[in-house]
C-alpha cells in the first residue's frame, strides 16, 4: 500500500471531527514551507533586475507559464543542423557574417540563471568593461546611421537596442518576431547581451561557447536569437562587436556594409 493510500485508510478509521482536524493540521504544517519556498523564488526573480516581463508577481507567474513551452537545450547546436530550419531562413540564414575566425571562449560557458525571462548570467562583468561596451554600442550606431539607430529595446523595455533604420526592409520572419530590433546589451544588470544571428553564425557562437540560445528561440522568437555572455576584458568586447555587426548584417538582408 502506498503512503498516500495508507494515510487515507487511517483517516477513514477516525471519527469525522478527528479526521477533519487531522486534515487541517496537515494543511497547516505543509502550507508554510511551500509559501516560504514560493516567496524565496519570487524574490530571486526580482533580484535579476528589470527585464521584458512585468517586474512584479504577475511577471514572475508568467515566467513559470513560459517554462511550459520553452526549450532547455540552450547550449546545443543540433537545431541549427535541421534541414527544416535551413529552409526556413533560406540562403541568407546559411551565410556567415562574422569577420575572421572565432576562437573558443576561454574557460567555457558562463553560468546562467534558470529563468526563461529575464535571461541573465549569474555573475556580471566589471563597470569599466561595461563602459567599453557602451562606447562600442554607440560607435556602431554612429558609423552606420543609414542601417541602424538606437531606440529603447522592445524586448527589455529598460535598455537601449540597435534597431534597423526605417528605410531598411525587414525579413518576413523578423516582422513576425523581433521586428527590427537587432541587438541589445544588459548594461544596467550584468553586461550580457541578446542578438539575432544567421543560423550559420548562431551555430558558431553557441558552439564556441560565446553564448547560448534563448529558451524561447524557435518558439516565439528566431532560432538565431542568442544570449552573448558578458565580456570579461577588452578583447572580448571586440568579439561582442564582431557578433553585433554580424547580426546587423544578417538582419539588414546581407546587402549593407556594416562598419
Amino acid at each position: 500500500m502506498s503512503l498516500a493510500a495508507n494515510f487515507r485508510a487511517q483517516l477513514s478509521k477516525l471519527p469525522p471531527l478527528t479526521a477533519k482536524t487531522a486534515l487541517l493540521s496537515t494543511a497547516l504544517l505543509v502550507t508554510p514551507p511551500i509559501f516560504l519556498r514560493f516567496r524565496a523564488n519570487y524574490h530571486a526573480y526580482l533580484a535579476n533586475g528589470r527585464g521584458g516581463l512585468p517586474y512584479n508577481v504577475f511577471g514572475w507567474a508568467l515566467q513559470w507559464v513560459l517554462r511550459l513551452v520553452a526549450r532547455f537545450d540552450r547550449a546545443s547546436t543540433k537545431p541549427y543542423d535541421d534541414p527544416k530550419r535551413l529552409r526556413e531562413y533560406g540562403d541568407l540564414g546559411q551565410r556567415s557574417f562574422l569577420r575572421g575566425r572565432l576562437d573558443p571562449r576561454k574557460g567555457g560557458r558562463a553560468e546562467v540563471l534558470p529563468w526563461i525571462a529575464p535571461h541573465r548570467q549569474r555573475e556580471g562583468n566589471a563597470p569599466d568593461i561595461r563602459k567599453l561596451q557602451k562606447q562600442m554600442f554607440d560607435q556602431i550606431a554612429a558609423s552606420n546611421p543609414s542601417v541602424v539607430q538606437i531606440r529603447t529595446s522592445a524586448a527589455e523595455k529598460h535598455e537601449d537596442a540597435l534597431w534597423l533604420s526605417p528605410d531598411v526592409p525587414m525579413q518576413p520572419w523578423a516582422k513576425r518576431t523581433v521586428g527590427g530590433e537587432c541587438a541589445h546589451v544588459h548594461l544596467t544588470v550584468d553586461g550580457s547581451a541578446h542578438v539575432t544571428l544567421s543560423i550559420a553564425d548562431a551555430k558558431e557562437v553557441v558552439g564556441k561557447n560565446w553564448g547560448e540560445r534563448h529558451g524561447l528561440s524557435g518558439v516565439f522568437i528566431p532560432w538565431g536569437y542568442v544570449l552573448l555572455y558578458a565580456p570579461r576584458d577588452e578583447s572580448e568586447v571586440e568579439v561582442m562587436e564582431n557578433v553585433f555587426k554580424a547580426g546587423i548584417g544578417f538582419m539588414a538582408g546581407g546587402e549593407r556594409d556594416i562598419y
Side-chain angles (χ1 to χ4, degrees):
M1 182 182 295
S2 69
L3 184 61
N6 183 59
F7 181 68
R8 287 194 298 270
Q10 295 301 319
L11 282 179
S12 65
K13 298 177 182 179
L14 296 174
L17 183 61
T18 307
K20 291 179 181 179
T21 302
L23 286 172
L24 179 61
S25 299
T26 301
L28 290 174
L29 287 171
V30 170
T31 299
I34 293 176
F35 171 77
L36 291 174
R37 188 168 183 175
F38 281 152
R39 182 175 182 273
N41 189 270
Y42 172 60
H43 283 285
Y45 166 80
L46 295 180
N48 286 329
R50 295 182 180 275
L53 298 181
Y55 191 63
N56 53 36
V57 69
F58 298 106
W60 171 73
L62 180 57
Q63 191 280 144
W64 281 101
V65 172
L66 291 174
R67 293 179 70 88
L68 299 175
V69 296
R71 302 172 188 272
F72 293 92
D73 58 339
R74 293 183 280 195
S76 173
T77 61
K78 287 184 179 180
Y80 299 135
D81 295 323
D82 188 333
K84 180 181 178 182
R85 217 111 295 138
L86 300 178
R87 289 194 301 271
E88 182 180 354
Y89 291 92
D91 292 339
L92 186 66
Q94 298 180 53
R95 282 178 55 186
S96 175
F97 296 87
L98 291 168
R99 300 176 184 180
R101 179 186 175 193
L102 188 64
D103 293 323
R105 182 179 186 269
K106 294 179 181 178
R109 298 189 180 280
E111 186 177 0
V112 175
L113 292 163
W115 312 101
I116 300 303
H119 191 193
R120 300 281 190 269
Q121 284 184 214
R122 188 169 295 280
E123 294 184 2
N125 57 7
D128 59 328
I129 300 300
R130 288 189 211 177
K131 288 181 181 179
L132 294 178
Q133 287 178 267
K134 181 67 166 64
Q135 293 170 8
M136 173 271 291
F137 187 87
D138 292 344
Q139 185 59 46
I140 291 177
S143 299
N144 301 276
S146 64
V147 184
V148 289
Q149 57 185 218
I150 295 176
R151 288 165 42 198
T152 302
S153 169
E156 285 293 320
K157 298 181 175 60
H158 304 282
E159 302 280 4
D160 285 337
L162 291 168
W163 288 78
L164 290 178
S165 296
D167 59 338
V168 178
M170 276 190 285
Q171 303 301 310
W173 51 263
K175 292 180 181 179
R176 301 191 303 268
T177 53
V178 294
E181 184 172 341
C182 301
H184 60 256
V185 186
H186 309 130
L187 287 175
T188 62
V189 187
D190 62 355
S192 65
H194 283 110
V195 59
T196 300
L197 300 168
S198 69
I199 295 298
D201 286 338
K203 181 178 180 179
E204 183 75 358
V205 167
V206 174
K208 295 289 182 65
N209 297 334
W210 288 102
E212 61 182 54
R213 298 184 351 255
H214 192 284
L216 298 177
S217 294
V219 182
F220 302 127
I221 52 181
W223 278 102
Y225 190 90
V226 302
L227 173 78
L228 294 180
Y229 302 138
R232 297 164 293 186
D233 55 36
E234 187 172 355
S235 67
E236 293 193 356
V237 174
E238 293 174 358
V239 171
M240 180 172 280
E241 179 180 5
N242 184 11
V243 176
F244 273 13
K245 290 179 178 179
I248 294 168
F250 169 61
M251 290 282 287
E255 299 178 357
R256 309 288 183 111
D257 292 326
I258 311 300
Y259 304 103

